[in-house]
Amino acid sequence: MKRHLNLTVNSEPRQILVEPYYSLLDMLRDELHLTGTKKGCDEGDCGACTVLLNGVPVTSCLVLAHSAHDAEVTTVEGLATREGLHPVQQAFAEYGGLQCGFCTPGLIMSAVGLLEKNFDPTEEEVRYAIGGNLCRCTGYTKVVQAIMAAAEQARP
Amino acid sequence: MARFEYLEAHTVRQALSMYRRHAPNVRYVAGSTDFLIRSRMGNWNPEYVVNIQHIPALQRTSFSRRNGLRLGALTTVQTLQDHESVQTHYPALAAAAASFAGVQVRNLATVGGNICNASPAGDTLPALLAFNAQCLSTGPEQGEQRSTALDEFFTGPGRTVLEPGELLTEIRLPRPEPNTGSLYIKHSPRGAMDIATVGVASAVTLAADRRTCKDVRIGLGAVAPTPIRAYAAEGILRGNEITPESLAACAEEARNTASPIDDVRGSAVYRKEIVGVLTLRTLERAVEMARDGTMAFETQRRLAVQAAF
Amino acid sequence: MTTEHNVLGRSLPRVDALDKVTGRATYAADVYLPDMLMCKVLTSPRSHARIVSMDTSKAEQVPGVRAVITGNDFPDRYFGSGAVRDRRIMARDEVFYIGEPVAAVAADDEVTAQEALELVEVEYEDLETIVDPLEAIREGSTLVHPDMPNFEGYGFAMGGNNCTLLDADRGDVDQAFRDANQVFEETYHSQAINQGFLEPMACAANVEANGRLTVWASTQGPYQVRAQLASVLDIPLSSIKVNAMELGGGFGAKLRLAFEAFPALLAMKTGRPVKLINTREEVFTLNGPRLATTIHLKTGVTSDGQITAREAHSVFDVGAYLGAGPNAGVGHALGAYDIPNFRLRSYGVYTNKIYVGSYRASGVADMHFAVESHMDSIAHQIGLDPLEFRLKNVVKEGDANVSGASVPANGLLETIEAVKEKMSLPRKSEEGRGIGISLGEWRSGSGPSTASISVNEDGTVSLLTGSVDISGSDTSLAQIAAETLGVELDQVIVAKRDTDMAPFTGPSGGSRIVYSQGKAVQMAAEDARDRLVGLAAERFGVPSEALSCEGGRVYVQDNPPQSLTLSQLAAASLTSRSGPIIGMAALSSMPYAPVFNTQAAEVIVDKATGQVRVTRFVQAQDVGVAINPMGVEGQLEGGAVQGIGRALSEEMQIDPETGRVRNPSLSTYLMPLAIDMPAIENILVGVPSADGPFGARAVAEPPGFGPPAAIANAIYDAVGIRIKELPLSADRVLAALQGQDGDEYHIDVEALKKAETG
Ligand SMILES: Cc1cc2nc3c(=O)[nH]c(=O)nc-3n(C[C@H](O)[C@H](O)[C@H](O)COP(=O)(O)OP(=O)(O)OC[C@H]3O[C@@H](n4cnc5c(N)ncnc54)[C@H](O)[C@@H]3O)c2cc1C
Ligand code: FES
Ligand code: FES
């Protein structure tokens, strides 16, 4: 039976009715219709469902929705502000870090997670940090360039 | 997707009592990274899930030079990777963590889950074996506690000595010996997001002369029904001088210890071959580290995954 | 040349970039409709069996289940994705592979649908199974489809399990072999490969109040889906509207009807919207991948390294149905070389496993691995530098290609030179490190294309085409329109389209969009421009030739201030004699325009483990003109990395007894990750094509062919072993290093020749 769950999604406190067996990913998509977070495998292998859970990147298909009570969840929809895109989003657009776009939200969230921890990553560190994100279209070259450029931008 | 009811425990006692109430159709989940996969594949169909992730007592991690490392069962793999004391004193464990999946899974997966899941290929396990880890657990009936050496913990693929409902609470690693070096290397086709085809952790302690092997412990992953220690191989090196020949002989013996199988990730023949290679490489690096003190974590990380040499 | 352009040739961000970085782009699985049901599909657990009985009553009684369908609920019809109609959309009385759909359920939610599936009872009676294509092609083998000769569309083949045979001949091959100084024979094998698109296929369907069926699909070919859906449901094509949603990768897999018919029929039965989203496992087991290919090559060479003749026999496994035409790869058995005498044969062979699908130039990619490895192998055996040997034999302008057409001007030699320079070739290799090269050819794709362009009253331009954006093509098309009309890219609105709204267009595949569709857009934009200029000419009282359309205005060349903005003209057009400004164009095919590509891989081989790491990857391609260089590079990089995956780690492991896919997940089917890939280095060579828009050529297919051969050749360079089977996995490399013979596959060429003549 569905039960109430309280958490914060993209800075908004929410109370949601969710099945006990739902993943955080299914909750975001099916209950909140926040469809920016993608389901590429539902097995933790592709990274398309990456969101920030209390500030760190996780594959939301591997999280039980109810375990995320009182947590703060940030999805790709929560990155842009009134002032504009997040620097990582901006850089992906400018540097061609996306093609079909299906991996993009997950990659962007992983990149945001990296830059929160390390604002001056080397190319190798960037490649390591997105090691959990599959992209079939870009070959990663421009994705890495975009993240490096975003880091440069974001540096104080 | 499969249906189940969700329960959440906030203390160990509560978890145990929830378990008792719903046994046998109940399962603990911590990071749920193994659980949700198995549940979706239809392998695990509990009626009730007891989430232990929010039990503060299982989240603590501490290190002291006297007592060594204490890891609450809920310590995440990412924490193992980032923890300065782990990087400094138990580098093989930090390297194992660094070779584990991707950051999104490391942020969820717990070391307790890795142990209880008892996969022969579990990445933290060879390293924990090489550090003589002890597992503290609490039984479901009277809350009785016991401590089991990790080496005696696994009884088969996916099977451990834990009784139904027994909760793994803490993992203890003895204090680090001086002049010790250690490294874990994982062989897998890709540099991330792969289950080990073979994983080897070696820890070497040198005698004061820095030439004699005072102690060595080697943990092997994915080459037997459970992660194992390569005791015979260790015996070849322990107490003897470190030479290219003695290291090679030790590695050769580790190779003989392995009894791998064929599966989608590699053939038995190939695995056996790789055990020898990785044992030698981890030993060489461990000796280097034991002599020179530390190794930058970046370097350990780079070395940890064979694909990215 | 590019300097004259304003919008063309600039690396502008994609027109859909904002939607995608904010998560707002809508894919088929993102469609949520009120009262929507979820669909799940039951598949066959048997390799080949008769369905004795089927009982859905228990499933139907599950609370929340709204409908259950089986093959009997569909009209009694066969359809085809390749040349022959050999397939039912859902099995009726026989199943031909593990994974073939046998029933589907629509329920209130996915879990309920899944639970109901488990209650569908099917009784099977096993039939004989054949899985190995090399065995299946032998005379007297167990037959997959005994009634094959009756299939509609069945043409010339040898019978048995061989459903198609393609051939090409020129000259006297046998004599040429006798005249050659040396003859080389080798057999190559490439593995089954999944397209690996990140978006699992999904589809939603709904019956509208007026009785028409709306389908939201994840497809490269909305018009193909519409036609095939009409056929399998036996309803008029005009009663279906297909919305091609944002596409999360397809690479050929989504060119045709997949399972859209299941939610469609369930929607028709229930009167409610129904959605089906594939699991990742279903991506591997429900939808046709590229299957294994074995290729035997025989090449005659003169003492000075001139190739005199080539014979190629290739056996393409097509699985249970001809889901695509992979053996068209036969035409590429010559490679990018001028070979006077040849005999090329390719066989498509039925087996009991998932049917073959398209994937980024299927067939060609397999052939390319064989041909370019073979070339390297011959060069080493006759003591020539591999590059030099290739240069002696490459096709030149004016040579006849495999089908006899004259090869037009192209940039092949420039691509070779560019790679040579960037990699400092020839370079002395060190033990354990090596460099390998490969050359490839592709033809810019053709096919029906349409476009219409209207100029809005504010001077912006609306572009409507029926093509699905699979490669950033919307951006390129918009750039072509903007350039032609002299406006900025952000002045072009690319319409989201469906099959009701946009005119027919061929599917987005085979690298045809920019070349063919782009041409249609250019022509439509020219048409619109001519109308704008005509209108201005009327107003100014000057001949059209005296005017230019640039910078958002039409002006008098001799007196630029005398001008009208597009906005003024569009507004004026509303009341003009010829009416609002709209440009249109349609074409059915485009002339032959080859695309050449040269690639070089630098590898390190770990001799103790057999692990191969690609440390550098350089490629040069003749793109004609790069409409959006960033987009072109992106295509090249993505293609190269897919090829590197195919070279090193990807393989659909198929059980040799049952044909079951053994590794249907992304943790066992290993696609490249960023951490393992080098930054791809590209060189864009520009020898404009005669007919493409602004001289553009196709881009996307060739970069994917080359990596397996380039890497295999680099391994040879590094450690002196020649591996003829893909993937070049660590265990295979180590076994070869230890001296084990890897030749696992054999084609009985003599038997094939006899069967053909006999
Ligand atoms: C995409 C992906 C990649 C992965 N990559 C790797 C990898 O590279 N290396 C690797 O080793 N593993 C990998 N795994 C496996 C998995 O992440 C690990 O085994 C992880 O450590 C499990 O921890 P968890 O907390 O998520 O366990 P859970 O899924 O919560 O639990 C796993 C099992 O352990 C039991 N359990 C958990 N904690 C306790 C406890 N304290 N007491 C008693 N029983 C308990 C549960 O009941 C359950 O049976 C991967 C998994 C996924 C999905
Ligand atoms: S959907 Fe979660 S990792 Fe693929
Ligand atoms: S852009 Fe398509 S998968 Fe990454």
Side-chain angles (χ1 to χ4, degrees), chain A residues 29-30 38 100 136 140 142, chain C residues 27 30 32 633 650 672:
Chain A
R29 293 180 54 84
D30 289 356
K38 299 299 179 201
C100 82
R136 191 57 158 173
Y140 305 106
K142 295 201 184 327
Chain C
Y27 301 78
D30 301 337
Y32 285 85
E633 285 165 13
E650 291 180 35

Side-chain angles (χ1 to χ4, degrees), chain A residues 97-104 107 134-138, chain C residues 198 248-249 251:
Chain A
L98 64 112
Q99 291 183 27
C100 82
F102 201 77
C103 68
T104 309
L107 267 168
L134 275 170
C135 171
R136 191 57 158 173
C137 303
T138 64
Chain C
L198 222 39
F251 311 114

Side-chain angles (χ1 to χ4, degrees), chain A residues 52-74:
Chain A
L52 299 185
L53 179 62
N54 295 324
V56 300
V58 299
T59 33
S60 59
C61 68
L62 295 181
V63 176
L64 283 167
H66 280 282
S67 190
H69 61 80
D70 304 319
E72 253 187 69
V73 176
T74 310

Side-chain angles (χ1 to χ4, degrees), chain A residues 71-90:
Chain A
E72 253 187 69
V73 176
T74 310
T75 71
V76 70
E77 289 95 340
L79 288 181
T81 60
R82 222 165 285 228
E83 281 74 63
L85 296 178
H86 186 283
V88 173
Q89 292 175 306
Q90 186 67 40

Side-chain angles (χ1 to χ4, degrees), chain C residues 608-688:
Chain C
T609 63
Q611 187 83 257
V612 175
R613 184 165 180 83
V614 178
T615 49
R616 269 187 84 189
F617 195 92
V618 172
Q619 59 184 339
Q621 183 162 316
D622 176 14
V623 301
V625 163
I627 295 193
N628 183 320
M630 182 168 82
V632 168
E633 285 165 13
Q635 290 293 302
L636 292 177
E637 290 157 6
V641 167
Q642 288 187 9
I644 296 175
R646 186 162 68 94
L648 295 179
S649 59
E650 291 180 35
E651 174 167 33
M652 276 177 69
Q653 300 181 19
I654 292 184
D655 187 282
E657 302 295 320
T658 62
R660 183 177 62 90
V661 180
R662 293 172 63 213
N663 57 338
S665 76
L666 295 178
S667 61
T668 47
Y669 183 85
L670 304 177
M671 303 202 282
L673 292 165
I675 193 167
D676 300 313
M677 290 300 117
I680 306 294
E681 303 165 58
N682 315 297
I683 306 147
L684 307 186
V685 169
V687 175

Side-chain angles (χ1 to χ4, degrees), chain B residues 127-201:
Chain B
L128 290 170
L129 282 171
F131 292 120
N132 270 334
Q134 288 281 322
C135 300
L136 269 57
S137 54
T138 306
E141 295 306 328
Q142 275 85 44
E144 61 283 8
Q145 301 217 5
R146 61 168 166 160
S147 174
T148 316
L150 184 65
D151 191 29
E152 285 155 18
F153 196 81
F154 307 113
T155 55
R159 291 207 311 272
T160 69
V161 297
L162 291 183
E163 299 293 330
E166 190 172 353
L167 204 60
L168 174 66
T169 52
E170 191 174 289
I171 298 98
R172 291 192 177 170
L173 273 58
R175 66 159 176 256
E177 293 280 326
N179 300 326
T180 299
S182 69
L183 188 66
Y184 175 73
I185 302 184
K186 168 177 182 171
H187 182 84
S188 56
R190 299 184 299 188
M193 297 307 293
D194 268 354
I195 302 300
T197 310
V198 174
V200 178

Side-chain angles (χ1 to χ4, degrees), chain C residues 319-370:
Chain C
Y321 306 114
L322 190 63
N327 53 345
V330 66
H332 288 253
L334 301 184
Y337 307 101
D338 181 35
I339 301 180
N341 304 289
F342 53 80
R343 178 190 295 130
L344 314 176
R345 298 287 178 274
S346 84
Y347 307 87
V349 183
Y350 283 132
T351 55
N352 292 113
K353 63 171 72 69
I354 182 162
Y355 63 89
V356 75
S358 298
Y359 172 30
R360 220 161 179 163
S362 323
V364 180
D366 306 288
M367 192 58 83
H368 187 277
F369 166 63

